[in-house]
Amino acid sequence: MPSTIRQIPLESATQHHSHDFHQIVITLCGSSEFEIEGLGGRVNAFSGCIVPANHEHFYSGNGHNRQLILDLPEDAPALTGEHRELVALFDAPRFFALDSPLRHYLAFVESELVQGFDTSAMSFQQDRLAATLLGSLKARLGATESAAQRRLNLEQIDRFIRRHLADELRVADLAKLACLSEAHFSERFRVQTGLSPWQYVRRQRLHAARQLIQQSRLPLTDIAIQTGFANQSALSHAFRRSYGLSPRQLRQSGASSSIDSPARSTSNLSTSAAPIEPSALSPR
């Protein structure tokens, strides 16, 4: 059977099913939500997901949206013969973002779909278009097929967090740096660091606040705002939970060596921090 390429919007109501053919869904505009066998997240414009055959998936569209969908039977020309190695793309669900060259190719695909070929010619043309797209995706994803093998760039993430400590950081903000869905990023982040993104950002906020308390005479209210806490009370509460004393007591004592820093003690964070919020990392 040939491949099929189509463009449709997704309804806002969540739906779910599985099918006996592979599928690639790319968001052209707007955004969508996908969950494939427990792996899920938001798919923004020029991002997509790979849905292997017989994998149950939940999906919905957000507002005005348009999706490019490739339906790929296992015996499609785009996955057989000289293209048979491309079926490895569907070994597991995954999410991806399109780089600039693939975005240009996507525009070409869209223009070809409106050419009005006859039915027979269109079937062959869609398989050719699909094979080129699959080959390009495999070239980009092939070296990082296993989520466990690809390590996140924590230095890049740390720099971003430091620049935005006073902002309402979200999981999506950090996931975007790694071109991953929120759920995929959170899973990989916990495997690599032992912490959820929420716990990690909280640790960074506490460390920055502790330095300002010890090294400056800024009012505690200002320190709280600069490090992302809603107010002085929220900062004091977080300090007591993690350090066993208040910011004012720390400033008065000057005993910086008598408490564990968040970098050396993550047990308090792991046991006392609230579970990760799917969209917000700020304690505001």
Side-chain angles (χ1 to χ4, degrees):
M1 292 179 59
S3 305
T4 302
I5 306 177
R6 51 200 170 98
Q7 297 184 58
I8 61 169
L10 295 181
E11 297 180 3
S12 58
T14 300
Q15 302 181 53
H16 70 96
H17 61 214
S18 62
H19 34 67
D20 60 1
F21 51 87
H22 303 305
Q23 194 172 71
I24 288 181
V25 181
I26 298 173
T27 298
L28 299 174
C29 69
S31 64
S32 59
E33 302 285 342
F34 268 83
E35 181 181 310
I36 313 163
E37 298 286 350
L39 175 65
R42 173 166 293 191
V43 182
N44 294 316
F46 300 112
S47 298
C49 60
I50 294 174
V51 185
N54 302 310
H55 279 55
E56 185 173 23
H57 48 287
F58 293 75
Y59 58 94
S60 63
N62 296 318
H64 174 72
N65 71 91
R66 186 160 54 93
Q67 315 292 325
L68 184 75
I69 300 178
L70 285 74
D71 295 329
L72 301 151
E74 291 188 349
D75 59 351
L79 294 176
T80 56
E82 61 181 359
H83 303 303
R84 60 185 177 276
E85 76 281 355
L86 298 180
V87 76
L89 272 172
F90 301 94
D91 286 345
R94 77 182 77 181
F95 292 79
F96 59 85
L98 300 179
D99 57 19
S100 181
L102 276 181
R103 292 187 186 191
H104 286 298
Y105 180 70
L106 207 59
F108 171 73
V109 171
E110 290 186 84
S111 68
E112 287 293 286
L113 293 178
V114 299
Q115 288 300 313
F117 299 108
D118 64 58
T119 304
S120 176
M122 177 56 80
S123 296
F124 286 111
Q125 178 65 352
Q126 290 195 359
D127 263 301
R128 286 191 289 264
L129 293 170
T132 300
L133 178 61
L134 294 178
S136 299
L137 281 176
K138 189 173 186 300
R140 288 158 172 77
L141 301 176
T144 58
E145 288 182 355
S146 170
Q149 292 175 352
R150 180 184 173 190
R151 295 185 64 79
L152 298 169
N153 186 340
L154 290 182
E155 291 184 4
Q156 180 191 32
I157 292 171
D158 285 342
R159 287 195 300 270
F160 184 86
I161 292 172
R162 286 194 296 268
R163 288 198 302 268
H164 298 278
L165 269 183
D167 303 331
E168 290 195 20
L169 285 167
R170 298 177 179 276
V171 177
D173 299 325
L174 304 182
K176 186 177 180 181
L177 295 175
C179 297
L180 297 171
S181 72
E182 295 177 31
H184 200 177
F185 174 83
S186 297
E187 176 187 12
R188 189 177 295 178
F189 192 92
R190 186 181 288 277
V191 168
Q192 187 167 332
T193 67
L195 299 170
S196 72
W198 187 93
Q199 292 169 334
Y200 190 86
V201 171
R202 180 175 178 272
R203 186 175 75 173
Q204 299 287 71
R205 294 187 192 281
L206 284 168
H207 179 70
R210 178 171 176 257
Q211 285 188 316
L212 288 173
I213 291 167
Q214 294 176 318
Q215 300 172 11
S216 77
R217 302 309 301 172
L218 284 172
L220 294 180
T221 299
D222 291 350
I223 291 175
I225 298 302
Q226 288 185 26
T227 54
F229 292 90
N231 48 47
Q232 182 179 336
S233 177
L235 174 64
S236 297
H237 180 69
F239 252 71
R240 288 193 181 94
R241 292 179 67 186
S242 295
Y243 297 131
L245 76 170
S246 70
R248 193 176 302 279
Q249 289 172 321
L250 171 63
R251 174 166 278 177
Q252 290 173 346
S253 69
S256 61
S257 61
S258 67
I259 62 174
D260 289 331
S261 72
R264 287 177 291 161
S265 177
T266 60
S267 59
N268 287 338
L269 292 170
S270 300
T271 57
S272 64
I276 183 171
E277 296 291 338
S279 60
L281 292 168
S282 171
R284 294 176 186 272

mmCIF file with all atom_site columns, all heavy atoms in Angstrom, residues 74-97:
data_model
loop_
_atom_site.group_PDB
_atom_site.id
_atom_site.type_symbol
_atom_site.label_atom_id
_atom_site.label_alt_id
_atom_site.label_comp_id
_atom_site.label_asym_id
_atom_site.label_entity_id
_atom_site.label_seq_id
_atom_site.pdbx_PDB_ins_code
_atom_site.Cartn_x
_atom_site.Cartn_y
_atom_site.Cartn_z
_atom_site.occupancy
_atom_site.B_iso_or_equiv
_atom_site.pdbx_formal_charge
_atom_site.auth_seq_id
_atom_site.auth_comp_id
_atom_site.auth_asym_id
_atom_site.auth_atom_id
_atom_site.pdbx_PDB_model_num
ATOM 1   N N   . GLU A 1 74 ? 3.369  -0.663 6.667  1.00 0.00 ? 74 GLU A N   1
ATOM 2   C CA  . GLU A 1 74 ? 4.682  -1.314 6.724  1.00 0.00 ? 74 GLU A CA  1
ATOM 3   C C   . GLU A 1 74 ? 5.173  -1.753 5.353  1.00 0.00 ? 74 GLU A C   1
ATOM 4   O O   . GLU A 1 74 ? 6.380  -1.893 5.128  1.00 0.00 ? 74 GLU A O   1
ATOM 5   C CB  . GLU A 1 74 ? 4.634  -2.502 7.683  1.00 0.00 ? 74 GLU A CB  1
ATOM 6   C CG  . GLU A 1 74 ? 4.470  -2.090 9.146  1.00 0.00 ? 74 GLU A CG  1
ATOM 7   C CD  . GLU A 1 74 ? 4.626  -3.251 10.093 1.00 0.00 ? 74 GLU A CD  1
ATOM 8   O OE1 . GLU A 1 74 ? 4.662  -4.420 9.606  1.00 0.00 ? 74 GLU A OE1 1
ATOM 9   O OE2 . GLU A 1 74 ? 4.714  -3.028 11.308 1.00 0.00 ? 74 GLU A OE2 1
ATOM 10  N N   . ASP A 1 75 ? 4.241  -1.975 4.407  1.00 0.00 ? 75 ASP A N   1
ATOM 11  C CA  . ASP A 1 75 ? 4.662  -2.386 3.070  1.00 0.00 ? 75 ASP A CA  1
ATOM 12  C C   . ASP A 1 75 ? 4.678  -1.212 2.087  1.00 0.00 ? 75 ASP A C   1
ATOM 13  O O   . ASP A 1 75 ? 4.757  -1.406 0.867  1.00 0.00 ? 75 ASP A O   1
ATOM 14  C CB  . ASP A 1 75 ? 3.749  -3.501 2.535  1.00 0.00 ? 75 ASP A CB  1
ATOM 15  C CG  . ASP A 1 75 ? 2.279  -3.073 2.448  1.00 0.00 ? 75 ASP A CG  1
ATOM 16  O OD1 . ASP A 1 75 ? 1.953  -1.976 2.953  1.00 0.00 ? 75 ASP A OD1 1
ATOM 17  O OD2 . ASP A 1 75 ? 1.476  -3.832 1.889  1.00 0.00 ? 75 ASP A OD2 1
ATOM 18  N N   . ALA A 1 76 ? 4.646  0.001  2.597  1.00 0.00 ? 76 ALA A N   1
ATOM 19  C CA  . ALA A 1 76 ? 4.689  1.174  1.718  1.00 0.00 ? 76 ALA A CA  1
ATOM 20  C C   . ALA A 1 76 ? 6.060  1.263  1.040  1.00 0.00 ? 76 ALA A C   1
ATOM 21  O O   . ALA A 1 76 ? 7.077  0.903  1.632  1.00 0.00 ? 76 ALA A O   1
ATOM 22  C CB  . ALA A 1 76 ? 4.422  2.445  2.517  1.00 0.00 ? 76 ALA A CB  1
ATOM 23  N N   . PRO A 1 77 ? 6.111  1.736  -0.205 1.00 0.00 ? 77 PRO A N   1
ATOM 24  C CA  . PRO A 1 77 ? 7.407  1.894  -0.886 1.00 0.00 ? 77 PRO A CA  1
ATOM 25  C C   . PRO A 1 77 ? 8.402  2.746  -0.096 1.00 0.00 ? 77 PRO A C   1
ATOM 26  O O   . PRO A 1 77 ? 9.614  2.531  -0.198 1.00 0.00 ? 77 PRO A O   1
ATOM 27  C CB  . PRO A 1 77 ? 7.013  2.578  -2.198 1.00 0.00 ? 77 PRO A CB  1
ATOM 28  C CG  . PRO A 1 77 ? 5.613  2.121  -2.457 1.00 0.00 ? 77 PRO A CG  1
ATOM 29  C CD  . PRO A 1 77 ? 4.970  2.052  -1.107 1.00 0.00 ? 77 PRO A CD  1
ATOM 30  N N   . ALA A 1 78 ? 7.907  3.694  0.718  1.00 0.00 ? 78 ALA A N   1
ATOM 31  C CA  . ALA A 1 78 ? 8.800  4.554  1.505  1.00 0.00 ? 78 ALA A CA  1
ATOM 32  C C   . ALA A 1 78 ? 9.487  3.804  2.638  1.00 0.00 ? 78 ALA A C   1
ATOM 33  O O   . ALA A 1 78 ? 10.434 4.324  3.243  1.00 0.00 ? 78 ALA A O   1
ATOM 34  C CB  . ALA A 1 78 ? 8.016  5.731  2.082  1.00 0.00 ? 78 ALA A CB  1
ATOM 35  N N   . LEU A 1 79 ? 9.020  2.572  2.924  1.00 0.00 ? 79 LEU A N   1
ATOM 36  C CA  . LEU A 1 79 ? 9.606  1.787  4.022  1.00 0.00 ? 79 LEU A CA  1
ATOM 37  C C   . LEU A 1 79 ? 10.109 0.423  3.572  1.00 0.00 ? 79 LEU A C   1
ATOM 38  O O   . LEU A 1 79 ? 10.461 -0.411 4.412  1.00 0.00 ? 79 LEU A O   1
ATOM 39  C CB  . LEU A 1 79 ? 8.567  1.600  5.147  1.00 0.00 ? 79 LEU A CB  1
ATOM 40  C CG  . LEU A 1 79 ? 8.134  2.865  5.903  1.00 0.00 ? 79 LEU A CG  1
ATOM 41  C CD1 . LEU A 1 79 ? 7.038  2.522  6.897  1.00 0.00 ? 79 LEU A CD1 1
ATOM 42  C CD2 . LEU A 1 79 ? 9.322  3.500  6.609  1.00 0.00 ? 79 LEU A CD2 1
ATOM 43  N N   . THR A 1 80 ? 10.130 0.178  2.280  1.00 0.00 ? 80 THR A N   1
ATOM 44  C CA  . THR A 1 80 ? 10.560 -1.126 1.777  1.00 0.00 ? 80 THR A CA  1
ATOM 45  C C   . THR A 1 80 ? 11.612 -0.930 0.686  1.00 0.00 ? 80 THR A C   1
ATOM 46  O O   . THR A 1 80 ? 11.927 0.198  0.295  1.00 0.00 ? 80 THR A O   1
ATOM 47  C CB  . THR A 1 80 ? 9.356  -1.911 1.216  1.00 0.00 ? 80 THR A CB  1
ATOM 48  O OG1 . THR A 1 80 ? 8.710  -1.129 0.194  1.00 0.00 ? 80 THR A OG1 1
ATOM 49  C CG2 . THR A 1 80 ? 8.347  -2.229 2.313  1.00 0.00 ? 80 THR A CG2 1
ATOM 50  N N   . GLY A 1 81 ? 12.133 -2.050 0.168  1.00 0.00 ? 81 GLY A N   1
ATOM 51  C CA  . GLY A 1 81 ? 13.130 -1.975 -0.892 1.00 0.00 ? 81 GLY A CA  1
ATOM 52  C C   . GLY A 1 81 ? 14.356 -1.200 -0.459 1.00 0.00 ? 81 GLY A C   1
ATOM 53  O O   . GLY A 1 81 ? 14.904 -1.432 0.623  1.00 0.00 ? 81 GLY A O   1
ATOM 54  N N   . GLU A 1 82 ? 14.768 -0.243 -1.247 1.00 0.00 ? 82 GLU A N   1
ATOM 55  C CA  . GLU A 1 82 ? 15.970 0.526  -0.932 1.00 0.00 ? 82 GLU A CA  1
ATOM 56  C C   . GLU A 1 82 ? 15.770 1.456  0.274  1.00 0.00 ? 82 GLU A C   1
ATOM 57  O O   . GLU A 1 82 ? 16.741 2.001  0.805  1.00 0.00 ? 82 GLU A O   1
ATOM 58  C CB  . GLU A 1 82 ? 16.386 1.363  -2.143 1.00 0.00 ? 82 GLU A CB  1
ATOM 59  C CG  . GLU A 1 82 ? 15.348 2.380  -2.589 1.00 0.00 ? 82 GLU A CG  1
ATOM 60  C CD  . GLU A 1 82 ? 15.786 3.165  -3.811 1.00 0.00 ? 82 GLU A CD  1
ATOM 61  O OE1 . GLU A 1 82 ? 16.909 2.932  -4.290 1.00 0.00 ? 82 GLU A OE1 1
ATOM 62  O OE2 . GLU A 1 82 ? 14.997 4.001  -4.283 1.00 0.00 ? 82 GLU A OE2 1
ATOM 63  N N   . HIS A 1 83 ? 14.520 1.590  0.698  1.00 0.00 ? 83 HIS A N   1
ATOM 64  C CA  . HIS A 1 83 ? 14.234 2.445  1.864  1.00 0.00 ? 83 HIS A CA  1
ATOM 65  C C   . HIS A 1 83 ? 13.941 1.634  3.123  1.00 0.00 ? 83 HIS A C   1
ATOM 66  O O   . HIS A 1 83 ? 13.495 2.192  4.128  1.00 0.00 ? 83 HIS A O   1
ATOM 67  C CB  . HIS A 1 83 ? 13.031 3.343  1.567  1.00 0.00 ? 83 HIS A CB  1
ATOM 68  C CG  . HIS A 1 83 ? 13.181 4.203  0.364  1.00 0.00 ? 83 HIS A CG  1
ATOM 69  N ND1 . HIS A 1 83 ? 14.216 5.099  0.214  1.00 0.00 ? 83 HIS A ND1 1
ATOM 70  C CD2 . HIS A 1 83 ? 12.437 4.295  -0.770 1.00 0.00 ? 83 HIS A CD2 1
ATOM 71  C CE1 . HIS A 1 83 ? 14.107 5.717  -0.951 1.00 0.00 ? 83 HIS A CE1 1
ATOM 72  N NE2 . HIS A 1 83 ? 13.038 5.246  -1.570 1.00 0.00 ? 83 HIS A NE2 1
ATOM 73  N N   . ARG A 1 84 ? 14.205 0.336  3.107  1.00 0.00 ? 84 ARG A N   1
ATOM 74  C CA  . ARG A 1 84 ? 13.765 -0.510 4.209  1.00 0.00 ? 84 ARG A CA  1
ATOM 75  C C   . ARG A 1 84 ? 14.418 -0.147 5.544  1.00 0.00 ? 84 ARG A C   1
ATOM 76  O O   . ARG A 1 84 ? 13.873 -0.416 6.613  1.00 0.00 ? 84 ARG A O   1
ATOM 77  C CB  . ARG A 1 84 ? 14.020 -1.986 3.883  1.00 0.00 ? 84 ARG A CB  1
ATOM 78  C CG  . ARG A 1 84 ? 15.474 -2.331 3.626  1.00 0.00 ? 84 ARG A CG  1
ATOM 79  C CD  . ARG A 1 84 ? 15.612 -3.800 3.181  1.00 0.00 ? 84 ARG A CD  1
ATOM 80  N NE  . ARG A 1 84 ? 16.985 -4.157 2.867  1.00 0.00 ? 84 ARG A NE  1
ATOM 81  C CZ  . ARG A 1 84 ? 17.567 -3.931 1.693  1.00 0.00 ? 84 ARG A CZ  1
ATOM 82  N NH1 . ARG A 1 84 ? 16.871 -3.348 0.714  1.00 0.00 ? 84 ARG A NH1 1
ATOM 83  N NH2 . ARG A 1 84 ? 18.817 -4.292 1.482  1.00 0.00 ? 84 ARG A NH2 1
ATOM 84  N N   . GLU A 1 85 ? 15.609 0.486  5.512  1.00 0.00 ? 85 GLU A N   1
ATOM 85  C CA  . GLU A 1 85 ? 16.266 0.841  6.773  1.00 0.00 ? 85 GLU A CA  1
ATOM 86  C C   . GLU A 1 85 ? 15.524 1.964  7.507  1.00 0.00 ? 85 GLU A C   1
ATOM 87  O O   . GLU A 1 85 ? 15.718 2.170  8.706  1.00 0.00 ? 85 GLU A O   1
ATOM 88  C CB  . GLU A 1 85 ? 17.721 1.269  6.529  1.00 0.00 ? 85 GLU A CB  1
ATOM 89  C CG  . GLU A 1 85 ? 17.906 2.668  5.948  1.00 0.00 ? 85 GLU A CG  1
ATOM 90  C CD  . GLU A 1 85 ? 17.643 2.724  4.446  1.00 0.00 ? 85 GLU A CD  1
ATOM 91  O OE1 . GLU A 1 85 ? 17.409 1.650  3.842  1.00 0.00 ? 85 GLU A OE1 1
ATOM 92  O OE2 . GLU A 1 85 ? 17.701 3.832  3.885  1.00 0.00 ? 85 GLU A OE2 1
ATOM 93  N N   . LEU A 1 86 ? 14.630 2.654  6.789  1.00 0.00 ? 86 LEU A N   1
ATOM 94  C CA  . LEU A 1 86 ? 13.926 3.776  7.408  1.00 0.00 ? 86 LEU A CA  1
ATOM 95  C C   . LEU A 1 86 ? 12.888 3.320  8.426  1.00 0.00 ? 86 LEU A C   1
ATOM 96  O O   . LEU A 1 86 ? 12.445 4.115  9.267  1.00 0.00 ? 86 LEU A O   1
ATOM 97  C CB  . LEU A 1 86 ? 13.248 4.635  6.334  1.00 0.00 ? 86 LEU A CB  1
ATOM 98  C CG  . LEU A 1 86 ? 14.184 5.291  5.312  1.00 0.00 ? 86 LEU A CG  1
ATOM 99  C CD1 . LEU A 1 86 ? 13.389 6.102  4.300  1.00 0.00 ? 86 LEU A CD1 1
ATOM 100 C CD2 . LEU A 1 86 ? 15.212 6.172  6.009  1.00 0.00 ? 86 LEU A CD2 1
ATOM 101 N N   . VAL A 1 87 ? 12.497 2.047  8.377  1.00 0.00 ? 87 VAL A N   1
ATOM 102 C CA  . VAL A 1 87 ? 11.504 1.554  9.330  1.00 0.00 ? 87 VAL A CA  1
ATOM 103 C C   . VAL A 1 87 ? 12.045 1.604  10.756 1.00 0.00 ? 87 VAL A C   1
ATOM 104 O O   . VAL A 1 87 ? 11.269 1.599  11.728 1.00 0.00 ? 87 VAL A O   1
ATOM 105 C CB  . VAL A 1 87 ? 11.060 0.123  8.954  1.00 0.00 ? 87 VAL A CB  1
ATOM 106 C CG1 . VAL A 1 87 ? 12.134 -0.900 9.339  1.00 0.00 ? 87 VAL A CG1 1
ATOM 107 C CG2 . VAL A 1 87 ? 9.720  -0.216 9.604  1.00 0.00 ? 87 VAL A CG2 1
ATOM 108 N N   . ALA A 1 88 ? 13.382 1.704  10.916 1.00 0.00 ? 88 ALA A N   1
ATOM 109 C CA  . ALA A 1 88 ? 13.966 1.789  12.257 1.00 0.00 ? 88 ALA A CA  1
ATOM 110 C C   . ALA A 1 88 ? 13.523 3.047  12.998 1.00 0.00 ? 88 ALA A C   1
ATOM 111 O O   . ALA A 1 88 ? 13.592 3.106  14.234 1.00 0.00 ? 88 ALA A O   1
ATOM 112 C CB  . ALA A 1 88 ? 15.491 1.760  12.166 1.00 0.00 ? 88 ALA A CB  1
ATOM 113 N N   . LEU A 1 89 ? 13.061 4.056  12.257 1.00 0.00 ? 89 LEU A N   1
ATOM 114 C CA  . LEU A 1 89 ? 12.545 5.258  12.907 1.00 0.00 ? 89 LEU A CA  1
ATOM 115 C C   . LEU A 1 89 ? 11.379 4.955  13.840 1.00 0.00 ? 89 LEU A C   1
ATOM 116 O O   . LEU A 1 89 ? 11.122 5.698  14.786 1.00 0.00 ? 89 LEU A O   1
ATOM 117 C CB  . LEU A 1 89 ? 12.071 6.263  11.849 1.00 0.00 ? 89 LEU A CB  1
ATOM 118 C CG  . LEU A 1 89 ? 13.076 7.258  11.268 1.00 0.00 ? 89 LEU A CG  1
ATOM 119 C CD1 . LEU A 1 89 ? 12.439 8.011  10.114 1.00 0.00 ? 89 LEU A CD1 1
ATOM 120 C CD2 . LEU A 1 89 ? 13.560 8.214  12.336 1.00 0.00 ? 89 LEU A CD2 1
ATOM 121 N N   . PHE A 1 90 ? 10.678 3.857  13.571 1.00 0.00 ? 90 PHE A N   1
ATOM 122 C CA  . PHE A 1 90 ? 9.452  3.559  14.301 1.00 0.00 ? 90 PHE A CA  1
ATOM 123 C C   . PHE A 1 90 ? 9.658  2.486  15.370 1.00 0.00 ? 90 PHE A C   1
ATOM 124 O O   . PHE A 1 90 ? 8.714  1.834  15.796 1.00 0.00 ? 90 PHE A O   1
ATOM 125 C CB  . PHE A 1 90 ? 8.360  3.145  13.317 1.00 0.00 ? 90 PHE A CB  1
ATOM 126 C CG  . PHE A 1 90 ? 8.063  4.209  12.295 1.00 0.00 ? 90 PHE A CG  1
ATOM 127 C CD1 . PHE A 1 90 ? 8.692  4.191  11.055 1.00 0.00 ? 90 PHE A CD1 1
ATOM 128 C CD2 . PHE A 1 90 ? 7.199  5.243  12.582 1.00 0.00 ? 90 PHE A CD2 1
ATOM 129 C CE1 . PHE A 1 90 ? 8.449  5.181  10.115 1.00 0.00 ? 90 PHE A CE1 1
ATOM 130 C CE2 . PHE A 1 90 ? 6.940  6.242  11.649 1.00 0.00 ? 90 PHE A CE2 1
ATOM 131 C CZ  . PHE A 1 90 ? 7.569  6.215  10.418 1.00 0.00 ? 90 PHE A CZ  1
ATOM 132 N N   . ASP A 1 91 ? 10.905 2.325  15.807 1.00 0.00 ? 91 ASP A N   1
ATOM 133 C CA  . ASP A 1 91 ? 11.178 1.369  16.884 1.00 0.00 ? 91 ASP A CA  1
ATOM 134 C C   . ASP A 1 91 ? 10.544 1.807  18.198 1.00 0.00 ? 91 ASP A C   1
ATOM 135 O O   . ASP A 1 91 ? 10.232 0.970  19.048 1.00 0.00 ? 91 ASP A O   1
ATOM 136 C CB  . ASP A 1 91 ? 12.687 1.206  17.079 1.00 0.00 ? 91 ASP A CB  1
ATOM 137 C CG  . ASP A 1 91 ? 13.335 0.395  15.965 1.00 0.00 ? 91 ASP A CG  1
ATOM 138 O OD1 . ASP A 1 91 ? 12.598 -0.268 15.212 1.00 0.00 ? 91 ASP A OD1 1
ATOM 139 O OD2 . ASP A 1 91 ? 14.573 0.434  15.838 1.00 0.00 ? 91 ASP A OD2 1
ATOM 140 N N   . ALA A 1 92 ? 10.378 3.111  18.370 1.00 0.00 ? 92 ALA A N   1
ATOM 141 C CA  . ALA A 1 92 ? 9.802  3.636  19.615 1.00 0.00 ? 92 ALA A CA  1
ATOM 142 C C   . ALA A 1 92 ? 9.201  5.012  19.346 1.00 0.00 ? 92 ALA A C   1
ATOM 143 O O   . ALA A 1 92 ? 9.628  5.700  18.418 1.00 0.00 ? 92 ALA A O   1
ATOM 144 C CB  . ALA A 1 92 ? 10.876 3.724  20.703 1.00 0.00 ? 92 ALA A CB  1
ATOM 145 N N   . PRO A 1 93 ? 8.229  5.421  20.158 1.00 0.00 ? 93 PRO A N   1
ATOM 146 C CA  . PRO A 1 93 ? 7.690  6.778  20.005 1.00 0.00 ? 93 PRO A CA  1
ATOM 147 C C   . PRO A 1 93 ? 8.772  7.803  20.321 1.00 0.00 ? 93 PRO A C   1
ATOM 148 O O   . PRO A 1 93 ? 9.653  7.550  21.148 1.00 0.00 ? 93 PRO A O   1
ATOM 149 C CB  . PRO A 1 93 ? 6.566  6.839  21.056 1.00 0.00 ? 93 PRO A CB  1
ATOM 150 C CG  . PRO A 1 93 ? 6.292  5.428  21.437 1.00 0.00 ? 93 PRO A CG  1
ATOM 151 C CD  . PRO A 1 93 ? 7.567  4.687  21.247 1.00 0.00 ? 93 PRO A CD  1
ATOM 152 N N   . ARG A 1 94 ? 8.693  8.939  19.685 1.00 0.00 ? 94 ARG A N   1
ATOM 153 C CA  . ARG A 1 94 ? 9.606  10.029 20.009 1.00 0.00 ? 94 ARG A CA  1
ATOM 154 C C   . ARG A 1 94 ? 9.061  11.340 19.471 1.00 0.00 ? 94 ARG A C   1
ATOM 155 O O   . ARG A 1 94 ? 8.173  11.365 18.618 1.00 0.00 ? 94 ARG A O   1
ATOM 156 C CB  . ARG A 1 94 ? 11.021 9.756  19.485 1.00 0.00 ? 94 ARG A CB  1
ATOM 157 C CG  . ARG A 1 94 ? 11.180 9.986  18.008 1.00 0.00 ? 94 ARG A CG  1
ATOM 158 C CD  . ARG A 1 94 ? 12.582 9.643  17.564 1.00 0.00 ? 94 ARG A CD  1
ATOM 159 N NE  . ARG A 1 94 ? 12.731 8.210  17.478 1.00 0.00 ? 94 ARG A NE  1
ATOM 160 C CZ  . ARG A 1 94 ? 13.863 7.615  17.125 1.00 0.00 ? 94 ARG A CZ  1
ATOM 161 N NH1 . ARG A 1 94 ? 14.931 8.331  16.886 1.00 0.00 ? 94 ARG A NH1 1
ATOM 162 N NH2 . ARG A 1 94 ? 13.935 6.305  17.037 1.00 0.00 ? 94 ARG A NH2 1
ATOM 163 N N   . PHE A 1 95 ? 9.618  12.417 19.992 1.00 0.00 ? 95 PHE A N   1
ATOM 164 C CA  . PHE A 1 95 ? 9.256  13.755 19.559 1.00 0.00 ? 95 PHE A CA  1
ATOM 165 C C   . PHE A 1 95 ? 10.483 14.426 18.949 1.00 0.00 ? 95 PHE A C   1
ATOM 166 O O   . PHE A 1 95 ? 11.617 14.098 19.300 1.00 0.00 ? 95 PHE A O   1
ATOM 167 C CB  . PHE A 1 95 ? 8.739  14.581 20.741 1.00 0.00 ? 95 PHE A CB  1
ATOM 168 C CG  . PHE A 1 95 ? 7.425  14.094 21.282 1.00 0.00 ? 95 PHE A CG  1
ATOM 169 C CD1 . PHE A 1 95 ? 7.367  12.980 22.122 1.00 0.00 ? 95 PHE A CD1 1
ATOM 170 C CD2 . PHE A 1 95 ? 6.241  14.736 20.961 1.00 0.00 ? 95 PHE A CD2 1
ATOM 171 C CE1 . PHE A 1 95 ? 6.160  12.524 22.620 1.00 0.00 ? 95 PHE A CE1 1
ATOM 172 C CE2 . PHE A 1 95 ? 5.025  14.289 21.459 1.00 0.00 ? 95 PHE A CE2 1
ATOM 173 C CZ  . PHE A 1 95 ? 4.983  13.178 22.283 1.00 0.00 ? 95 PHE A CZ  1
ATOM 174 N N   . PHE A 1 96 ? 10.263 15.348 18.032 1.00 0.00 ? 96 PHE A N   1
ATOM 175 C CA  . PHE A 1 96 ? 11.380 15.987 17.353 1.00 0.00 ? 96 PHE A CA  1
ATOM 176 C C   . PHE A 1 96 ? 10.984 17.399 16.939 1.00 0.00 ? 96 PHE A C   1
ATOM 177 O O   . PHE A 1 96 ? 9.799  17.758 16.901 1.00 0.00 ? 96 PHE A O   1
ATOM 178 C CB  . PHE A 1 96 ? 11.795 15.181 16.113 1.00 0.00 ? 96 PHE A CB  1
ATOM 179 C CG  . PHE A 1 96 ? 10.692 14.999 15.104 1.00 0.00 ? 96 PHE A CG  1
ATOM 180 C CD1 . PHE A 1 96 ? 10.423 15.957 14.134 1.00 0.00 ? 96 PHE A CD1 1
ATOM 181 C CD2 . PHE A 1 96 ? 9.892  13.862 15.129 1.00 0.00 ? 96 PHE A CD2 1
ATOM 182 C CE1 . PHE A 1 96 ? 9.402  15.799 13.209 1.00 0.00 ? 96 PHE A CE1 1
ATOM 183 C CE2 . PHE A 1 96 ? 8.854  13.688 14.223 1.00 0.00 ? 96 PHE A CE2 1
ATOM 184 C CZ  . PHE A 1 96 ? 8.614  14.659 13.249 1.00 0.00 ? 96 PHE A CZ  1
ATOM 185 N N   . ALA A 1 97 ? 11.993 18.205 16.644 1.00 0.00 ? 97 ALA A N   1
ATOM 186 C CA  . ALA A 1 97 ? 11.787 19.558 16.111 1.00 0.00 ? 97 ALA A CA  1
ATOM 187 C C   . ALA A 1 97 ? 12.480 19.643 14.760 1.00 0.00 ? 97 ALA A C   1
ATOM 188 O O   . ALA A 1 97 ? 13.558 19.070 14.563 1.00 0.00 ? 97 ALA A O   1
ATOM 189 C CB  . ALA A 1 97 ? 12.345 20.600 17.076 1.00 0.00 ? 97 ALA A CB  1
#
